[in-house]
């Protein structure tokens, strides 16, 4: 344990301040002084040391640390401490270089004057875009019309052009001895040159996580628990921040916002800069570190737009929080103005990052969207607005829509409702398909030019105002330009088409698909009867899909720009797919231990149920009544002894519904109800429905006189990810089966085939297995949320008695897994664990008598 030092009340050097009102100790970790609010756990020390080493070496790294281990706090403190230390070292080096240049100018004035006179190297210094990279404005350049170059002018200009001056000194030193400079001076200049941009650029930190709620939690950790104070920002969606009443009532807040902005009807947009100078958000202000709710509260009384204000603030922030699709998705990243060059990216909750990156690199557009684009472009053409350009976009939309809707299309993949056709085919390559559709490189270039001219025209409307419109007011349509949604369709198509052209390095990484499925708006007979005439809805929706099989298409671009990428989660395991899938070299990995004492949790794997049936939830066995009944008996036995809350996860809704129906019929569910109120996660449904279900579950358990509750859910469902079931909300997690992805899902089949074709990747079977075990690990993390928590993890699955499968679990679980061949033996061990933990709890909490009758609560879809 590094020796702590009391926090210095004086602000340290660099551009991050320390708030002396927040108690902390200082620990030297990896040579960096880290201010931490309390004595760190050993796992936190390991994380901070690992993080600092990776950032120092400009490496990418992965850190798996169980939920409750203080991961977020450790990562924030380590990253900010490293950045502070790095900036201090930068400034020391820059000061040393300034002094060396001053000595060079003093002793070699004629040499420097000769340089400016002969080669004219007097161009303006180019201040970096990042305001932190240059601390003074460059002086006026020397006047070459005069031979009287003063020493002061020469020195000022040499300092302003520091990188060029250093290069000149180093090159000159190879030809002659320079007066006034030592070997140490030359070594310092060599180090400065080797550092390149990192010698002057202060790295910014982009901290991405999965949801806006998790972003708010990170902001709160930084603000309330750490002493670090710096310029921060949060990027969020319009839906999260918009305060315009008309836009908020719209079906699409994004589209409504853009329309109001373009029509100059949003006072918040025109006045968003009023937020930027607000004292609360300034250095030392009450909201120096703010979240989305804070900036909305500041902007609303100012009649200013929080959305655009937050983007403007993010442009100069040293630390930016955002959902990680803002970083992964190239279109979102560009729209948000996120610059990654030389900066640090931390992606928390990164266990789904491979799928998220594949989704970000893919694109889908329906025939309805294409028809809408064509219709809008036709309107612009009819009103004489950039007719040639809109005709190009209309032609693109019409061509693709007609091809999607053609009769006699063959589909090689068919299920109950969906038909899919995929390219390349044995007799038709992607290149041949694009040629048939006339999507040649020259045509794509025409589309790009048309898009650029239309965007320039729209920008001119925004800046000039409607009264300066170049179109005759009598001919001006109500919508003066195509919608933002229409332009997004064009942008999305151009983004993926550049990757599938024959000269792209990613051409083999994509699959083009046509997917036909019934129109969901016609699912009810009432809606079908109402369809008639022009407004009739099509029976089928046809979607053109560009699916990338390679998440490295988007992720490798990010890695090429950044200084370091850090992937972190409580459940990254298994780790061996990330490097190959993302096409990024992770120089180091860390699997941290849990902060919970081993005596406070138990992990069991059970091979056979109470009646001796082998518990193997495979497709061919899950229909057997003996299996269903033995699983039900095991769940009942566990529910009868487990206190408080209990979660049960299954591989699919099909199996969940099948087991619930069987137990209802046999009376087993009624027996479970005698010990637990039963909640069932609904398939589909809205967020509000799920939140209502979750609230009911929590309220029930908060009434401590109740006997408890059990929530049945599925792996990869809403219950299994991102929800905190600490303490009495979950004392037991039961896992049934292994959640392999749907074997006959078209995307899954294509991905397996793709991996088998590329030897640098994990083979298709290994990739398939990893998806399943990663989902299991995510579900296991729902309980045991802090060091004083306790709970049991039970694998009712025979395949988890095998060492090879145990090895795929997270480190904190696999090291403590106990294997039992018979359920009764496992039950005896589990009962003893419960008795011990309940006895310990009883010492600290008064007993509550009485229990209400339990019921089953299920929300329909």
């Amino acid at each position: 344990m590094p020796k702590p030092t009391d926090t210095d009340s004086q602000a340290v050097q660099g551009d991050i301040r320390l708030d002396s009102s927040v108690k902390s100790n200082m620990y030297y970790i990896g040579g960096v002084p880290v201010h931490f609010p309390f004595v760190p756990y050993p796992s936190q020390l390991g994380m901070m040391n690992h993080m600092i080493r990776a950032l120092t070496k400009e490496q990418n790294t992965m850190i798996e640390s169980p939920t409750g281990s203080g991961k977020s706090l450790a990562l924030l403190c380590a990253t900010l401490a490293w950045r502070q230390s790095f900036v201090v070292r930068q400034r020391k080096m820059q000061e040393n270089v300034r002094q060396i240049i001053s000595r060079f100018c003093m002793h070699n004035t004629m040499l420097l004057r000769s340089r400016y006179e002969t080669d004219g190297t007097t161009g303006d210094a180019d201040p970096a875009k990042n305001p932190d990279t240059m601390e003074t404005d460059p002086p006026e350049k020397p006047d070459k019309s005069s031979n009287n170059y003063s020493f002061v002018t020469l020195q000022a200009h040499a300092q302003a052009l520091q990188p060029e001056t250093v290069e000149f000194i180093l090159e000159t030193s190879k030809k002659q001895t320079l007066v006034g400079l030592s070997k140490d001076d030359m070594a310092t200049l060599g180090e400065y040159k080797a550092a390149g941009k990192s010698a002057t650029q202060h790295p910014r930190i982009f901290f991405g996580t999965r949801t806006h709620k998790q972003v708010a939690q990170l902001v709160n950790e930084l603000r309330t628990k750490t002493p670090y104070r710096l310029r921060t920002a949060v990027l969020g969606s319009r839906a999260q921040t918009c305060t315009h009443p008309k836009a908020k009532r719209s079906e699409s807040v994004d589209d409504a916002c853009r329309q109001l902005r373009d029509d100059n009807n949003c006072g918040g947009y025109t006045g968003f800069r009023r937020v930027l100078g607000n004292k609360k958000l300034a250095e030392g202000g009450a909201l120096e570190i703010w979240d989305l709710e804070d900036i909305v509260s500041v902007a609303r009384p100012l009649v200013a737009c929080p959305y655009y204000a937050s983007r403007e603030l993010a442009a100069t922030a040293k630390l930016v929080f955002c959902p990680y699709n803002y970083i992964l998705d190239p279109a979102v990243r560009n729209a948000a103005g996120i610059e990654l060059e030389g900066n640090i990216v931390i992606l928390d909750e990164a266990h789904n990052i491979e799928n998220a990156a594949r989704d970000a690199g893919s694109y889908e557009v329906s025939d309805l969207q294409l028809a809408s684009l064509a219709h809008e472009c036709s309107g612009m053409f009819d009103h004489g607005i950039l007719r040639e350009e809109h005709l190009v976009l209309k032609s693109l939309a019409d061509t693709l829509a007609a091809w999607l809707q053609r009769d006699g299309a063959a589909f090689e993949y068919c299920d109950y409702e969906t038909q899919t056709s995929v390219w390349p085919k044995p007799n038709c390559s992607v290149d041949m398909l694009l040629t048939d559709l006339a999507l040649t490189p020259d045509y794509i270039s025409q589309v790009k030019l048309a898009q650029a001219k239309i965007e320039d025209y729209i920008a001119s409307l925004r800046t000039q105002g409607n009264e300066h419109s170049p179109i005759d007011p009598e001919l001006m349509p109500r919508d003066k330009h195509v919608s933002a949604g229409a332009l997004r369709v064009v942008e999305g198509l151009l983004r993926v088409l550049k990757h599938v052209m024959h000269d792209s390095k990613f051409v083999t990484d994509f699959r083009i698909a046509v997917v036909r499925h019934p129109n969901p708006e016609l699912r009810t007979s009432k809606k079908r009867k109402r369809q008639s005439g022009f407004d009739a809805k099509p029976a089928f929706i046809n979607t053109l899909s560009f699916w990338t099989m390679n998440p490295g298409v988007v992720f490798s671009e990010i890695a090429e720009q950044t200084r370091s990428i850090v992937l972190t989660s409580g459940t990254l395991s298994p780790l061996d797919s990330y490097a190959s899938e993302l096409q990024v070299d992770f120089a180091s990995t860390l699997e941290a231990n849990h902060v919970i004492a081993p005596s406070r949790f138990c992990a069991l794997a059970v091979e056979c149920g109470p009646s001796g049936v082998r518990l193997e939830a495979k497709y061919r066995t899950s229909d057997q009544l003996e299996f269903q009944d033995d699983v039900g008996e095991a769940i009942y036995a566990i529910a009868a002894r487990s206190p408080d809350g209990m979660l049960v996860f299954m591989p699919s809704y099909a199996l969940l519904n099948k087991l619930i129906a069987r137990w209802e019929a046999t009376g087993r569910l009624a027996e479970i109800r005698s010990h637990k109120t039963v909640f069932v996660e609904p398939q589909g449904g809205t967020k509000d429905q799920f939140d209502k279900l979750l609230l009911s579950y929590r309220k029930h358990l908060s009434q401590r006189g109740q006997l408890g509750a059990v929530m049945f859910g599925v792996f990869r469902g809403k219950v299994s990810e991102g929800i905190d079931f600490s303490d009495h909300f979950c004392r037991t997690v039961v896992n049934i089966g292994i959640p392999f992805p749907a074997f006959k899902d078209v995307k899954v089949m294509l991905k397996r085939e793709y991996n088998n074709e590329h030897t640098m990747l994990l083979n298709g079977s290994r990739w398939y297995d990893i998806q399943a075990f990663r989902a299991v690990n995510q579900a296991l993390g729902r309980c045991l949320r802090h060091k004083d928590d306790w709970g049991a993890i039970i694998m009712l699955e025979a395949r988890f008695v095998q060492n090879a499968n145990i090895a795929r679990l997270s480190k904190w679980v696999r090291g403590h897994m106990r294997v039992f061949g018979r359920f009764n033996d496992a039950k005896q061990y589990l009962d003893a664990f419960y008795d011990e933990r309940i006895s310990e709890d009883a010492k600290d909490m008064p007993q509550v008598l009485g229990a209400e009758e339990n019921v089953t609560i299920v929300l329909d879809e």
Side-chain angles (χ1 to χ4, degrees):
M1 171 76 67
K3 184 177 180 180
T5 306
D6 289 339
T7 301
D8 187 354
S9 60
Q10 297 293 324
V12 298
Q13 288 182 300
D15 55 4
I16 299 177
R17 296 176 296 105
L18 292 176
D19 185 349
S20 59
S21 68
V22 179
K23 183 174 174 57
S24 67
N25 291 324
M26 187 178 72
Y27 300 86
Y28 277 96
I29 303 175
V32 171
V34 179
H35 294 264
F36 204 71
F38 47 76
V39 178
Y41 303 132
S43 60
Q44 288 177 316
L45 284 173
M47 278 186 279
M48 289 190 282
N49 183 55
H50 187 88
M51 187 81 168
I52 288 169
R53 289 175 59 190
L55 296 178
T56 300
K57 296 179 180 180
E58 300 186 46
Q59 294 176 340
N60 304 317
T61 189
M62 291 186 285
I63 300 175
E64 181 185 65
S65 182
T67 301
S69 59
K71 166 172 55 71
S72 299
L73 188 61
L75 294 180
L76 283 169
C77 290
T79 305
L80 295 178
W82 174 85
R83 186 189 183 279
Q84 180 76 325
S85 176
F86 180 79
V87 169
V88 169
R89 292 198 305 272
Q90 278 184 315
R91 290 180 172 178
K92 287 181 178 178
M93 176 184 286
Q94 288 174 318
E95 180 57 31
N96 288 338
V97 169
R98 286 192 197 95
Q99 293 177 8
I100 293 171
I101 291 176
S102 294
R103 290 197 295 273
F104 170 78
C105 294
M106 181 180 298
H107 295 284
N108 301 273
T109 305
M110 297 302 297
L111 186 60
L112 195 60
R113 178 179 289 117
S114 173
R115 177 194 181 215
Y116 288 134
E117 288 176 346
T118 56
D119 64 16
T121 311
T122 58
D124 290 327
D126 182 18
K129 294 180 180 179
N130 186 336
D132 290 329
T133 61
M134 197 160 191
E135 298 177 10
T136 58
D137 293 330
E140 295 183 2
K141 53 190 174 184
D143 181 9
K144 289 200 299 177
S145 63
S146 169
N147 290 326
N148 185 23
Y149 285 88
S150 72
F151 171 76
V152 173
T153 301
L154 287 172
Q155 178 169 260
H157 197 64
Q159 295 286 11
L161 294 172
Q162 196 173 84
E164 291 88 342
T165 303
V166 169
E167 178 70 23
F168 174 73
I169 295 173
L170 290 173
E171 288 300 314
T172 305
S173 68
K174 297 175 182 178
K175 305 171 185 177
Q176 64 186 81
T177 301
L178 298 176
V179 180
L181 300 187
S182 66
K183 290 182 178 180
D184 289 343
D185 290 338
M186 301 309 297
T188 298
L189 296 182
E191 182 182 351
Y192 176 90
K193 178 184 177 181
K197 290 183 178 179
S198 67
T200 55
Q201 179 183 353
H202 302 345
R204 301 173 69 206
I205 303 159
F206 292 91
F207 204 126
T209 189
R210 202 166 56 89
T211 65
H212 286 290
K213 182 178 179 181
Q214 290 164 337
V215 167
Q217 291 170 347
L218 286 168
V219 171
N220 187 58
E221 289 259 291
L222 176 63
R223 180 164 52 191
T224 62
K225 295 182 180 179
T226 82
Y228 292 103
R229 296 293 177 263
L230 70 163
R231 193 162 62 244
T232 66
V234 178
L235 290 173
S237 66
R238 288 178 172 87
Q240 294 279 332
T241 55
C242 180
T243 57
H244 196 290
K246 183 177 179 180
K248 287 186 72 67
R249 291 194 302 267
S250 302
E251 183 177 345
S252 171
V253 179
D254 285 349
D255 290 342
C257 166
R258 293 184 178 97
Q259 190 65 53
L260 288 165
R261 179 195 64 186
D262 293 342
D263 292 343
N264 201 27
N265 285 332
C266 180
Y269 172 69
T270 57
F272 76 85
R273 287 184 174 81
R274 288 192 286 267
V275 175
L276 307 185
N278 190 276
K279 292 181 179 180
K280 289 183 179 180
L281 302 174
E283 181 177 310
L287 297 176
E288 180 180 8
I289 299 173
W290 52 267
D291 63 16
L292 294 180
E293 290 185 359
D294 295 324
I295 199 167
V296 169
S297 70
V298 170
R300 193 187 300 274
L302 298 175
V303 194
C305 176
Y307 176 76
Y308 284 101
S310 63
R311 292 200 168 200
E312 191 77 10
L313 291 168
T316 56
K318 300 176 178 68
L319 171 60
V320 178
F321 296 101
C322 59
Y324 56 52
N325 68 298
Y326 280 65
I327 298 170
L328 293 179
D329 191 313
V332 177
R333 187 169 70 241
N334 292 335
I338 293 177
E339 298 282 349
L340 297 180
E341 185 70 36
N343 293 322
I344 297 163
V345 168
I346 303 171
L347 299 177
D348 197 10
E349 300 296 327
H351 47 277
N352 287 328
I353 204 70
E354 294 174 15
N355 294 333
R358 275 203 308 277
D359 290 343
S362 301
Y363 183 70
E364 295 183 346
V365 60
S366 71
D367 52 357
L368 297 183
Q369 290 173 289
L370 292 167
S372 178
L373 170 62
H375 178 72
E376 290 190 39
C377 290
S378 179
M380 297 299 107
F381 181 88
D382 291 344
H383 287 88
I385 301 174
L386 296 178
R387 302 186 71 179
E388 182 178 344
E389 287 74 16
H390 284 107
L391 189 60
V392 171
L393 300 191
K394 181 180 183 300
S395 173
L396 172 68
D398 284 338
T399 298
L400 295 178
W403 179 69
L404 286 172
Q405 297 167 349
R406 70 195 186 283
D407 294 328
F411 296 94
E412 57 266 33
Y413 302 98
C414 301
D415 60 22
Y416 177 67
E417 288 189 326
T418 305
Q419 300 169 297
T420 307
S421 186
V422 179
W423 286 263
K425 302 179 186 294
N427 60 346
C428 183
S429 66
V430 168
D431 200 40
M432 293 170 62
L433 172 65
L434 297 178
T435 301
D436 290 343
L437 293 173
L439 297 177
T440 62
D442 288 343
Y443 181 68
I444 298 303
S445 296
Q446 292 180 39
V447 174
K448 288 181 180 178
L449 289 173
Q451 178 204 31
K453 288 185 178 180
I454 291 171
E455 288 182 342
D456 288 344
Y457 162 72
I458 294 173
S460 71
L461 289 181
R462 292 174 185 159
T463 56
Q464 295 175 6
N466 296 339
E467 68 274 17
H468 299 297
S469 173
I471 310 302
D472 186 337
E474 294 184 2
L475 299 178
M476 177 65 70
R478 184 174 61 85
D479 295 325
K480 297 171 288 298
H481 56 78
V482 294
S483 66
L487 287 177
R488 286 199 300 273
V489 169
V490 179
E491 181 184 356
L493 285 169
L494 288 175
R495 178 169 58 84
V496 290
L497 284 172
K498 75 176 182 180
H499 290 318
V500 298
M501 290 294 168
H502 66 87
D503 58 346
S504 167
K505 67 177 181 178
F506 296 122
V507 64
T508 62
D509 298 322
F510 278 81
R511 300 293 181 264
I512 299 178
V514 174
V515 182
R516 179 170 294 173
H517 59 84
N519 190 336
E521 294 187 26
L522 303 179
R523 288 191 180 275
T524 66
S525 58
K526 291 183 179 180
K527 287 186 178 180
R528 289 194 186 97
K529 290 178 181 178
R530 289 200 297 265
Q531 302 304 316
S532 62
F534 180 77
D535 293 330
K537 303 290 185 182
F540 291 92
I541 303 294
N542 300 281
T543 302
L544 175 61
S545 302
F546 297 83
W547 295 328
T548 178
M549 302 290 103
N550 175 14
V553 169
V554 297
F555 209 85
S556 59
E557 178 185 356
I558 296 171
E560 288 170 1
Q561 298 180 52
T562 54
R563 178 186 178 94
S564 294
I565 295 177
V566 181
L567 300 187
T568 177
S569 176
T571 51
L572 284 177
S573 295
L575 301 176
D576 49 355
S577 71
Y578 290 100
S580 62
E581 284 291 312
L582 300 176
Q583 296 186 1
V584 171
D585 177 32
F586 290 96
S588 60
T589 61
L590 174 67
E591 293 180 88
N593 291 316
H594 214 304
V595 297
I596 294 177
S599 62
R600 301 188 67 83
F601 75 95
C602 73
L604 314 177
V606 185
E607 183 174 10
C608 297
S611 301
V613 176
R614 182 174 171 81
L615 300 177
E616 198 168 22
K618 292 183 176 180
Y619 179 77
R620 66 176 180 271
T621 59
S622 60
D623 283 334
Q624 297 173 3
L625 298 183
E626 295 86 352
F627 169 82
Q628 296 175 13
D629 292 343
D630 228 21
V631 171
E633 186 175 349
I635 294 295
Y636 164 71
I638 297 170
R641 290 291 288 116
S642 172
D644 302 320
M646 173 174 162
L647 303 178
V648 181
F649 294 107
M650 301 186 192
S652 66
Y653 286 105
L655 180 59
L656 172 59
N657 296 333
K658 189 183 301 179
L659 291 180
I660 292 292
R662 173 62 179 175
W663 300 340
E664 187 78 67
T666 62
R668 182 64 73 187
L669 193 61
E671 293 178 344
I672 295 173
R673 288 194 196 110
S674 68
H675 296 281
K676 303 285 185 189
T677 297
V678 174
F679 296 79
V680 180
E681 177 184 358
Q683 183 175 5
T686 65
K687 180 180 183 297
D688 288 342
Q689 284 179 308
F690 177 73
D691 289 345
K692 181 180 177 182
L693 177 71
L694 187 60
L695 181 61
S696 297
Y697 175 84
R698 292 187 184 278
K699 279 186 175 180
H700 180 82
L701 287 169
S702 295
Q703 300 171 21
R704 302 304 298 274
Q706 304 271 11
L707 290 179
V710 56
M711 175 83 80
F712 288 95
V714 298
F715 297 104
R716 303 188 187 90
K718 294 183 177 70
V719 176
S720 69
E721 295 206 26
I723 298 178
D724 184 350
F725 291 98
S726 61
D727 300 314
H728 62 280
F729 292 120
C730 180
R731 292 302 186 194
T732 305
V733 173
V734 179
N735 288 344
I736 298 171
I738 301 177
F740 292 102
F743 191 80
K744 292 188 177 181
D745 181 89
V746 175
K747 288 185 180 180
V748 172
M749 289 191 288
L750 294 174
K751 176 60 177 170
R752 293 184 67 173
E753 292 171 1
Y754 172 85
N755 277 41
N756 286 333
E757 293 167 359
H758 292 76
T759 56
M760 79 288 296
L761 300 176
L762 298 175
N763 65 54
S765 295
R766 179 66 178 137
W767 171 84
Y768 185 72
D769 289 348
I770 283 175
Q771 308 313 302
F773 287 94
R774 200 164 281 155
V776 170
N777 285 323
Q778 184 64 15
L780 296 182
R782 292 316 89 210
C783 70
L784 303 175
R785 309 291 290 187
H786 57 85
K787 73 178 182 66
D788 295 321
D789 207 349
W790 66 268
I793 292 169
I794 305 162
M795 318 295 283
L796 292 182
E797 171 56 57
R799 285 168 286 182
F800 277 108
V801 303
Q802 302 169 12
N803 289 333
N805 288 332
I806 293 174
R808 297 175 180 180
L809 299 177
S810 294
K811 179 182 177 182
W812 67 271
V813 177
R814 64 176 179 257
H816 300 277
M817 182 66 71
R818 290 177 176 268
V819 174
F820 293 88
R822 299 186 304 174
F823 177 80
N824 291 336
D825 294 338
K827 176 68 164 48
Q828 186 177 0
Y829 181 86
L830 185 63
D831 287 348
F833 172 77
Y834 285 144
D835 288 340
E836 181 181 356
R837 298 313 331 155
I838 293 171
S839 175
E840 289 294 324
D841 277 0
K843 298 176 182 178
D844 302 320
M845 183 176 62
Q847 186 176 4
V848 181
L849 302 177
E852 299 178 7
E853 183 180 355
N854 287 274
V855 295
T856 300
I857 299 177
V858 182
L859 289 183
D860 294 332
E861 295 182 30

